[in-house]
Amino acid sequence: MRNGCIRLPPGLSVLLLLTLRPADKAPGASASMACAPWCPPHSTCVNATACDCLPGFISSSADIITDPTETCDDINECRPSLPVSCGKLAECRNTEGSYYCMCTLGYKLVSGAMKFSHESQNTCQAEISFPTWTPAPGIKSQSLSRFYEKVQDLGRNFTLASAKDTIQDIIQEVDELLETAGDLENLSRSEQHCVATNLLTGLEHVLRELSKSLPSGPLTFSTATGTELSLEVEEQGQRNVSLSVNKAKMLLNWDTVQESGDAGPSVVGLISTPGMGKLLAGAPLVLETEGPEVLHETHTGLLQGVSPVLFSDVISVFVSNNNTQNLSSPVTFVFEHLVTPVPRQQVLCVFWEHGQNGSGHWATKGCRMVGTGDTSTTCLCTHLSSFAVLMAQYDVQEEDPALVVITYLGLSLSLLCLLLAALTFLLCKAIQNTSTSLHLQLCICLFLAHLLFLTAIDRTEIKVLCAIIAGTLHYLYLASFTWMLLEGLHLFFTARNLTVVNYSNVSRFMKKFMFPVGYGVPAVIVAISAASRPHLYGTAARCWLHPEKGFIWGFLGPVCAIISVNLAFFLMTLWILKSKLSSLNTDVSTLQNTRMLTFKAMAQLFILGCTWCLGILQLDPAAQAMAYLFTIINSLQGVFIFLVYCLLSQQVWEQYRQWLKGVRKSKADSEKYTLSSRATPEAYKPSTTLQFHRRNGHL
């Protein structure tokens, strides 16, 4: 109907059309005069002076339009005055030019179809009934029995009109059970975990089904003691959904919520149950064996079964889509911390995984942490369940105080010696050659690496900064070992020069390639490591490489290879020197030089980093002794460099003596100049002195 007019039945419409239609034109009449060019939208041409509205549309006068100013308007078949009936438990939906019927929210057709067009096709029946919530088997608790009796009472009195009140009553009953646990506190840990599993799964199931009967839009439910439910009901959408409760927030895509081919209302809900933490206390944690949440190898306490503690409220997620184990896009969770994290604690994003025996445990599979701070942690998960943030209390092996003191004293002394050696190599012109350049670069890399190690290895507060520190240490120590490799190669060629005269070619080769190799090779290794797994730079305890998936071999692999090659160079150098010594005559000078070279070659065992292999030998029963030996020798590597290349070099000592003479001469000249400058003013100012004595009555 439109403007009070009633659409005529099809038979009468045809009769009226035949009555109003003029006689057929004679053959040969003009075709352009047979149809009115001004027919409005939603109409068809009758003849040159009339148009007919399409079914479902009507003009202000009738179906037939003869006035060019008239229009064909949509007929709202769902208006109460029209004889269109969809039947009980259904409603009419008008569309442009037509209409359809569909069951009222909470009901559906027996056939499963969404629409029908007449009351005779109406088979709507109730879609939602109160879900069954069975108690956890084998648990004897009066508090739990009373809770399930109240839930059954809510189910018996449930109606679609009271769905909203029923949801409020459900979360209120759960909240009261958790806050006044009663005899639940006397249950064993495993039984409490079974109760928690039953409450979490049952609550998700009941809320999912009851929420489908709610009107579209966002809704929030809460209790006085902190339990809060936030949900949204919508028929369809292609946007992100953001829900917030007390201390948590969730962001997901609406496509994740909807089931495939489901045109009905979709539901997404987020409920926070702070009291659930009491039942989940002491729950075990199962770490993902091949994922980013594997803890550092020093977290021995956690790996041996030390239970982590809850770091946030427990939240549960439910959606209308039951297939949520492998989502197309991850869901983002932001948890507010219950307490402030402290050092030696690992923050983990976890979910509650149900066990076959009715119990459960925390697990990390499918969830990863993308950021954490003092107040909140952000997690990404590829499935839906009950989630929380755990604070893993791990035990770091106690460090031997003596080893700590040795490390800091040794590295501090090495830093001083490396600085003096670097200044010597830069300023001593008499020893400037390829060998000195190698020594200088090794000193620079070791100095920077040791300095950063002493000042920043424990700076784990800021994750990004810790990762940068770890990457820088990775590069500096790799560069140091690469220059050790070049030192070993140059030492071998130097010893070989005693028997084969080709030193100039070797020197040119070293000058050309030592800088690209010394600084380029470590850069390539670090770049590949950082590009492949950047999140593995930095651990919870140290700003160093994470051992997960063998990532630490990005450092140990090149180091082991360099140590092996340098050890081979060292042995070949000793063999060459032994052959040279056996062929010497009584030339004392040559013998003394060769013996000095032999001593320096022995000292190279420490300088070339070969003693780092002692770290592999830290096994029982000699682990303690090897740890001390390894720490002492390698922390003093800078001292060995200064001793061999500076203090045992005659050229360097000669340069030191010249510098010392220059300092003494400069000091003597300075003192002479000072005495002269003090005497000169008195000689040139007698009148001033005379006036001074006269003023003071001396004369």
Side-chain angles (χ1 to χ4, degrees), residues 19 31 107 136 266 349 393 493 635 674:
T19 303
Y107 298 86
S266 296
C349 296
Q393 296 277 7
F493 283 137
S635 64
T674 302

PDB file of all heavy atoms in Angstrom, residues 19 31 107 136 266 349 393 493 635 674:
ATOM      1  N   THR A  19      -8.798  -2.367 -20.695  1.00  0.00           N
ATOM      2  CA  THR A  19      -9.828  -1.346 -20.879  1.00  0.00           C
ATOM      3  C   THR A  19      -9.209  -0.023 -21.293  1.00  0.00           C
ATOM      4  O   THR A  19      -9.727   0.680 -22.170  1.00  0.00           O
ATOM      5  CB  THR A  19     -10.632  -1.167 -19.589  1.00  0.00           C
ATOM      6  OG1 THR A  19     -11.185  -2.414 -19.211  1.00  0.00           O
ATOM      7  CG2 THR A  19     -11.742  -0.132 -19.777  1.00  0.00           C
ATOM      8  N   ALA A  31       6.922   3.243 -34.864  1.00  0.00           N
ATOM      9  CA  ALA A  31       7.253   2.505 -33.632  1.00  0.00           C
ATOM     10  C   ALA A  31       7.564   3.443 -32.494  1.00  0.00           C
ATOM     11  O   ALA A  31       7.341   3.135 -31.337  1.00  0.00           O
ATOM     12  CB  ALA A  31       8.440   1.570 -33.905  1.00  0.00           C
ATOM     13  N   TYR A 107      14.578 -18.104  17.547  1.00  0.00           N
ATOM     14  CA  TYR A 107      13.818 -19.169  16.895  1.00  0.00           C
ATOM     15  C   TYR A 107      14.358 -19.361  15.484  1.00  0.00           C
ATOM     16  O   TYR A 107      14.974 -18.466  14.906  1.00  0.00           O
ATOM     17  CB  TYR A 107      12.325 -18.812  16.856  1.00  0.00           C
ATOM     18  CG  TYR A 107      11.718 -18.663  18.229  1.00  0.00           C
ATOM     19  CD1 TYR A 107      11.792 -17.446  18.904  1.00  0.00           C
ATOM     20  CD2 TYR A 107      11.095 -19.731  18.851  1.00  0.00           C
ATOM     21  CE1 TYR A 107      11.252 -17.302  20.174  1.00  0.00           C
ATOM     22  CE2 TYR A 107      10.553 -19.597  20.124  1.00  0.00           C
ATOM     23  CZ  TYR A 107      10.641 -18.383  20.785  1.00  0.00           C
ATOM     24  OH  TYR A 107      10.126 -18.242  22.030  1.00  0.00           O
ATOM     25  N   ALA A 136      31.681 -31.299  37.891  1.00  0.00           N
ATOM     26  CA  ALA A 136      32.917 -32.046  37.682  1.00  0.00           C
ATOM     27  C   ALA A 136      32.810 -33.380  38.405  1.00  0.00           C
ATOM     28  O   ALA A 136      32.465 -33.426  39.595  1.00  0.00           O
ATOM     29  CB  ALA A 136      34.108 -31.249  38.205  1.00  0.00           C
ATOM     30  N   SER A 266      25.951 -12.978  15.384  1.00  0.00           N
ATOM     31  CA  SER A 266      27.220 -13.483  15.901  1.00  0.00           C
ATOM     32  C   SER A 266      27.480 -12.856  17.264  1.00  0.00           C
ATOM     33  O   SER A 266      27.118 -11.714  17.514  1.00  0.00           O
ATOM     34  CB  SER A 266      28.361 -13.162  14.939  1.00  0.00           C
ATOM     35  OG  SER A 266      28.185 -13.826  13.713  1.00  0.00           O
ATOM     36  N   CYS A 349      52.912 -15.433  28.129  1.00  0.00           N
ATOM     37  CA  CYS A 349      51.515 -15.422  27.692  1.00  0.00           C
ATOM     38  C   CYS A 349      51.043 -16.878  27.606  1.00  0.00           C
ATOM     39  O   CYS A 349      51.625 -17.675  26.859  1.00  0.00           O
ATOM     40  CB  CYS A 349      51.386 -14.747  26.331  1.00  0.00           C
ATOM     41  SG  CYS A 349      51.850 -12.997  26.329  1.00  0.00           S
ATOM     42  N   GLN A 393      58.878 -17.626  38.080  1.00  0.00           N
ATOM     43  CA  GLN A 393      59.984 -17.453  39.007  1.00  0.00           C
ATOM     44  C   GLN A 393      61.025 -18.519  38.692  1.00  0.00           C
ATOM     45  O   GLN A 393      60.811 -19.694  38.938  1.00  0.00           O
ATOM     46  CB  GLN A 393      59.499 -17.634  40.451  1.00  0.00           C
ATOM     47  CG  GLN A 393      58.494 -16.586  40.896  1.00  0.00           C
ATOM     48  CD  GLN A 393      59.189 -15.318  41.351  1.00  0.00           C
ATOM     49  OE1 GLN A 393      60.384 -15.177  41.217  1.00  0.00           O
ATOM     50  NE2 GLN A 393      58.426 -14.393  41.890  1.00  0.00           N
ATOM     51  N   PHE A 493     102.626 -17.074   8.610  1.00  0.00           N
ATOM     52  CA  PHE A 493     103.413 -16.607   7.459  1.00  0.00           C
ATOM     53  C   PHE A 493     104.746 -16.002   7.902  1.00  0.00           C
ATOM     54  O   PHE A 493     105.754 -16.129   7.205  1.00  0.00           O
ATOM     55  CB  PHE A 493     102.612 -15.588   6.657  1.00  0.00           C
ATOM     56  CG  PHE A 493     101.553 -16.204   5.792  1.00  0.00           C
ATOM     57  CD1 PHE A 493     100.280 -15.643   5.713  1.00  0.00           C
ATOM     58  CD2 PHE A 493     101.808 -17.355   5.054  1.00  0.00           C
ATOM     59  CE1 PHE A 493      99.304 -16.207   4.921  1.00  0.00           C
ATOM     60  CE2 PHE A 493     100.821 -17.926   4.261  1.00  0.00           C
ATOM     61  CZ  PHE A 493      99.570 -17.362   4.198  1.00  0.00           C
ATOM     62  N   SER A 635      90.148 -13.532  30.899  1.00  0.00           N
ATOM     63  CA  SER A 635      89.937 -12.145  31.329  1.00  0.00           C
ATOM     64  C   SER A 635      91.219 -11.330  31.243  1.00  0.00           C
ATOM     65  O   SER A 635      91.165 -10.093  31.204  1.00  0.00           O
ATOM     66  CB  SER A 635      89.395 -12.118  32.759  1.00  0.00           C
ATOM     67  OG  SER A 635      90.345 -12.644  33.669  1.00  0.00           O
ATOM     68  N   THR A 674     109.645  28.944  34.249  1.00  0.00           N
ATOM     69  CA  THR A 674     108.881  29.486  35.375  1.00  0.00           C
ATOM     70  C   THR A 674     109.756  30.344  36.274  1.00  0.00           C
ATOM     71  O   THR A 674     109.378  31.448  36.695  1.00  0.00           O
ATOM     72  CB  THR A 674     108.267  28.334  36.181  1.00  0.00           C
ATOM     73  OG1 THR A 674     107.445  27.555  35.323  1.00  0.00           O
ATOM     74  CG2 THR A 674     107.426  28.872  37.342  1.00  0.00           C
TER      75      THR A 674
END
